[in-house]
Amino acid sequence: MTDAAPAAAPAADTGGVAAERLRSFIARIERLEEDKANIALDIKEVYSEAKGEGFDVKVLRKIISLRKRDPQERREEEELIELYLAALGEAR
Amino acid sequence: MTDAAPAAAPAADTGGVAAERLRSFIARIERLEEDKANIALDIKEVYSEAKGEGFDVKVLRKIISLRKRDPQERREEEELIELYLAALGEAR
Amino acid sequence: MTDAAPAAAPAADTGGVAAERLRSFIARIERLEEDKANIALDIKEVYSEAKGEGFDVKVLRKIISLRKRDPQERREEEELIELYLAALGEAR
Amino acid sequence: MTDAAPAAAPAADTGGVAAERLRSFIARIERLEEDKANIALDIKEVYSEAKGEGFDVKVLRKIISLRKRDPQERREEEELIELYLAALGEAR
DNA sequence: CGGCGCTACGTCCGTC
DNA sequence: GACGGACGTAGCGCCG
């Protein structure tokens, strides 16, 4: 048995198989990060387009993030804020 | 001409055309952000896989970020001498 | 009078007076940034202490940032959010 | 035992002791943030002054950040070879 | 539970 | 004066 691919070995032998694996992982990650960056660009463009039609980008972002959060925990956090503000005797 | 599609109107009328546009922008953005999140997950998985083969994730990240910085960084580092000269001397 | 300090000259002569000025500016800035970093640490400590007495740090931060913002524009932004949500027919 | 100061109680009672503690924490944080903001202003002023003497602010910033990164950066750069070795080979 | 890295936000600058 | 881009800062989530 020649032990060609020891699954969870410490990834040794410099210049050998491990080096090739390393190269591969690096390449895959960099490719994915490139994709991610491109999508981020697309998102920016959509916001720009919306802005061009008169929408308030800042508010759009808030809407997006509101929809992302669980309604209940959101409610709870808001109540805590009210509580703290009340303790401070704040105007609100 | 009855001005059917005022490009940069304040985009306010609830239930009207603007609402539909708003819905559309939100949907597009959320779709893109979902894609982006999925890619982020993929990246995490690659790191996990690498870890499973004995690579040190922290080290991998460092390598990635160094490679990312380099075509900027190295250039900057090289430019710094020029910059010092500029700061100490003439516009260029 | 020999014009020792020409106020808005291009800051020329390498190794001469300008180099000394450069050194000075760098030193002043680095000193200030150090101070700033120390204050940032102090802030972290206060949050920690508050946490130790049972306060919710996340909410504390929200309180701080709320108090920092102008009440009116804050109100306006909230209304815009409500408007957009209404246009989406959102639960709220 | 009357439990006058429960160290890690939920810190909730409006108008009671907790309210006073809350007020105090908020005040301390806001004071520190004010100081920090002032230092940030000082830094801006130094940059302005430098600019007034003909230095290129952007260049100055670059110098500062390079100097800041260096005792980290240079070390990292030096470590990278070791890291590659680690990634390819043994834990260390 | 604390530290670190990533992400998102707001600010400032140069451009048109 | 508006816009877009870059920078620095603050918040959030994950890992150790």
Side-chain angles (χ1 to χ4, degrees):
Chain A
M1 186 263 209
T2 48
D3 196 356
D13 57 286
T14 313
V17 174
E20 203 44 57
R21 290 302 285 149
L22 175 57
R23 228 182 291 275
S24 165
F25 284 126
I26 299 291
R28 286 166 67 193
I29 292 167
E30 289 182 341
R31 184 51 164 57
L32 288 167
E33 296 213 323
E34 192 189 332
D35 291 347
K36 188 151 70 79
N38 284 330
I39 293 180
L41 278 182
D42 290 345
I43 293 173
K44 282 192 64 170
E45 284 174 24
V46 177
Y47 277 117
S48 275
E49 190 184 337
K51 180 177 186 174
E53 297 191 17
F55 290 102
D56 182 324
V57 173
K58 187 178 172 185
V59 172
L60 287 180
R61 289 185 186 281
K62 282 247 161 84
I63 299 282
I64 296 284
S65 74
L66 277 179
R67 286 165 57 98
K68 204 181 303 180
R69 302 183 52 182
D70 176 54
Q72 184 184 351
E73 67 179 33
R74 158 146 190 73
R75 198 81 201 116
E76 286 170 0
E77 183 188 293
E78 262 175 25
E79 278 165 18
L80 247 196
I81 292 173
E82 306 281 340
L83 179 62
Y84 279 34
L85 287 178
L88 290 171
E90 203 74 1
R92 184 203 171 345
Chain B
M1 190 263 207
T2 47
D3 196 356
D13 49 295
T14 312
V17 173
E20 203 44 57
R21 290 303 286 150
L22 176 57
R23 233 182 290 273
S24 166
F25 284 126
I26 299 290
R28 286 166 66 193
I29 292 167
E30 288 182 340
R31 183 53 164 56
L32 287 167
E33 295 214 322
E34 193 189 331
D35 292 347
K36 188 152 70 82
N38 283 330
I39 292 180
L41 277 181
D42 291 345
I43 293 173
K44 283 191 64 170
E45 283 174 26
V46 177
Y47 278 116
S48 277
E49 188 184 338
K51 182 176 185 174
E53 297 192 16
F55 290 103
D56 181 327
V57 173
K58 188 178 172 185
V59 170
L60 287 180
R61 289 188 185 281
K62 196 171 267 183
I63 291 171
I64 295 285
S65 78
L66 278 174
R67 283 168 59 98
K68 195 186 304 176
R69 271 208 296 262
D70 242 78
Q72 300 163 299
E73 192 79 2
R74 191 168 292 262
R75 197 84 197 112
E76 280 179 4
E77 200 84 34
E78 292 298 326
E79 277 171 8
L80 222 218
I81 299 97
E82 322 240 3
L83 295 184
Y84 262 99
L85 291 179
L88 291 168
E90 210 37 38
R92 215 161 147 38
Chain C
M1 191 259 209
T2 48
D3 197 356
D13 56 287
T14 312
V17 173
E20 202 46 56
R21 291 301 287 150
L22 175 58
R23 231 182 290 275
S24 166
F25 284 126
I26 299 291
R28 286 166 67 191
I29 291 168
E30 289 183 340
R31 184 51 166 56
L32 287 167
E33 296 213 322
E34 192 190 331
D35 291 347
K36 189 152 70 81
N38 284 329
I39 292 180
L41 279 181
D42 291 345
I43 293 173
K44 281 192 64 172
E45 284 173 24
V46 177
Y47 277 116
S48 276
E49 190 184 337
K51 181 178 186 175
E53 296 192 17
F55 290 102
D56 182 324
V57 173
K58 187 177 172 185
V59 173
L60 285 181
R61 289 185 186 281
K62 282 248 162 79
I63 299 281
I64 296 285
S65 76
L66 277 179
R67 285 164 57 97
K68 206 182 299 181
R69 301 182 54 181
D70 177 54
Q72 185 185 349
E73 67 178 32
R74 158 146 190 74
R75 197 82 201 115
E76 286 170 1
E77 184 189 291
E78 264 175 23
E79 278 165 17
L80 248 193
I81 292 174
E82 306 281 339
L83 180 61
Y84 280 33
L85 286 178
L88 289 171
E90 202 74 3
R92 188 209 171 334
Chain D
M1 187 262 212
T2 47
D3 199 355
D13 51 297
T14 312
V17 173
E20 202 46 55
R21 290 302 287 150
L22 176 57
R23 233 182 290 273
S24 165
F25 284 125
I26 298 290
R28 287 166 66 191
I29 292 167
E30 288 183 340
R31 183 53 162 60
L32 287 167
E33 294 213 324
E34 193 190 332
D35 291 348
K36 188 151 71 81
N38 283 330
I39 292 179
L41 276 182
D42 290 346
I43 292 173
K44 283 192 65 172
E45 283 173 25
V46 176
Y47 278 117
S48 276
E49 188 185 339
K51 183 176 186 175
E53 296 191 16
F55 291 105
D56 182 325
V57 173
K58 188 177 172 185
V59 170
L60 287 180
R61 288 187 187 280
K62 197 171 269 185
I63 292 171
I64 295 285
S65 78
L66 277 174
R67 284 168 58 98
K68 194 186 304 175
R69 271 206 296 260
D70 241 79
Q72 300 164 298
E73 192 79 4
R74 189 169 294 264
R75 197 83 197 112
E76 280 179 6
E77 201 83 36
E78 292 299 327
E79 278 172 7
L80 221 219
I81 300 95
E82 322 240 4
L83 294 182
Y84 262 98
L85 291 180
L88 291 169
E90 210 36 38
R92 215 166 146 36

